[in-house]
Amino acid sequence: MIEYRRAVRRILICLIAALGIVIAAAPILQTESGTVWAASKKAAKKKSSKKKKKNARKNGFVRKNGSWYYYEEGKKKTGWITVGTRRYYAVRTGSRRGRLVKGWFTIKKKQYYFREEGKKGVICSLAAGGTCKVNGIKCIFDEEGQFVKCKHAGSTDGFINEIGEKARINQVYNNILASLVVAQACLETGYGSNVYHNNLFGIRAGSGYRRYDSYDESIEDYVEFMHTYIPRIFGVRDSGTACSIIGRSGYAEAGGYGSILMSIVSSNDLTRFDK
């Protein structure tokens, strides 16, 4: 019985001692916990403040991953944007949301051109109320920025001039030298004397030739053909170089194809369609 009481007494003494240690250590734990919590709260507040400050700085034109955006009070603008005397258009939806448009762009079935080069504020601006050179061709745009036509001098009579004007438009949109397109059309059709179902370039379909409903459709298919088989022709600005590339590419089985094209360009002054 005495041993039992002694055992109980030892247990009580141990419990009281342990309780005393916990009570003594509580202020320290509380202080450390409070310090950690306060530090965490302070860091979060600092991070939030830094983020707000960063967003607040985003005003005006911002370049990100090679694309331009326009911000107001930290928010991306979308749709039509007017800054001073210039206008821009930012994509409204999707993964490209907020990105300023460059190059040709269709809005409500109307064609517009947004500058592809220039310093900040000039690049991506709408060409409007005058002329703007696109792929080497002077284009005319109305006051709202809608594409009107290409600027040029001369008549539009005859096969060369008819194809020349179409080739000029094609150069604007697809960046293939107009003089090359006209020269090939002249060579393949005998200057328009032998046009098979509007096929201007002798493009085959199996054992025969492809058929088109119009010259425009033929030129469109020609562009696709070039994308597939001779992509390096795009962007070439010298007619001699362009003809040489076509000649070496195996476009035609006959030898001297490139030299003949250069002769046609020279004798008919086809480079006039390149400007």
Side-chain angles (χ1 to χ4, degrees), residues 213-229:
D213 292 330
S214 65
Y215 287 165
D216 290 326
E217 188 178 315
S218 178
I219 293 174
E220 287 175 8
D221 192 46
Y222 169 82
V223 171
E224 291 301 318
F225 181 90
M226 290 299 189
H227 270 299
T228 303
Y229 298 104

Side-chain angles (χ1 to χ4, degrees), residues 159-160 162-164 166-167 180-203 209-212 214-222 251 257 261:
F159 180 78
I160 287 180
E162 180 183 0
I163 303 304
K166 293 180 183 298
L180 172 67
V181 174
V182 181
Q184 283 197 267
C186 289
L187 179 56
E188 295 291 342
T189 65
Y191 288 82
S193 63
N194 185 25
V195 184
Y196 175 81
H197 289 282
N198 297 308
N199 191 327
L200 295 172
F201 307 101
I203 298 178
Y209 291 88
R210 296 182 184 179
R211 301 184 178 195
Y212 307 101
S214 65
Y215 287 165
D216 290 326
E217 188 178 315
S218 178
I219 293 174
E220 287 175 8
D221 192 46
Y222 169 82
Y251 186 95
Y257 191 80
L261 288 177

Side-chain angles (χ1 to χ4, degrees), residues 70 97 120 135 141 199 224-225 250:
Y70 190 80
R97 185 177 180 276
K120 181 171 71 172
N135 293 331
F141 300 87
N199 191 327
E224 291 301 318
F225 181 90

